[in-house]
Amino acid sequence: MAKYVFKCADIGMNCGFEASEKSIDELMPKIVEHAKTAHNITEINEDLKNKVTAAIKKKMF
């Protein structure tokens, strides 16, 4: 079974946020919500989206 994991620290943020889900489609809304509430990022531009996507790691369990 695979899980997809994202950590804010992996894109250079000084933040301990970490989220995981069984698919990227389920993980992205969590990341977007965290960006809004914790970092006051109201718009995810293409550059940030690419950074976030590149930082998502697939872990096998």
Side-chain angles (χ1 to χ4, degrees), residues 4-57:
Y4 294 86
V5 179
F6 172 79
K7 298 178 186 177
C8 269
D10 290 345
I11 62 166
M13 303 294 279
N14 184 16
C15 176
F17 176 77
E18 180 177 335
S20 64
E21 278 296 339
K22 59 187 173 196
S23 75
I24 292 175
D25 288 340
E26 291 175 289
L27 182 57
M28 286 306 268
K30 287 184 172 184
I31 297 168
V32 170
E33 183 60 29
H34 171 75
K36 285 180 188 173
T37 58
H39 301 294
N40 204 27
I41 298 171
T42 56
E43 184 181 331
I44 309 292
N45 63 30
E46 199 63 30
D47 184 48
L48 183 55
K49 184 180 179 185
N50 291 337
K51 258 188 184 175
V52 167
T53 303
I56 294 173
K57 295 187 174 52

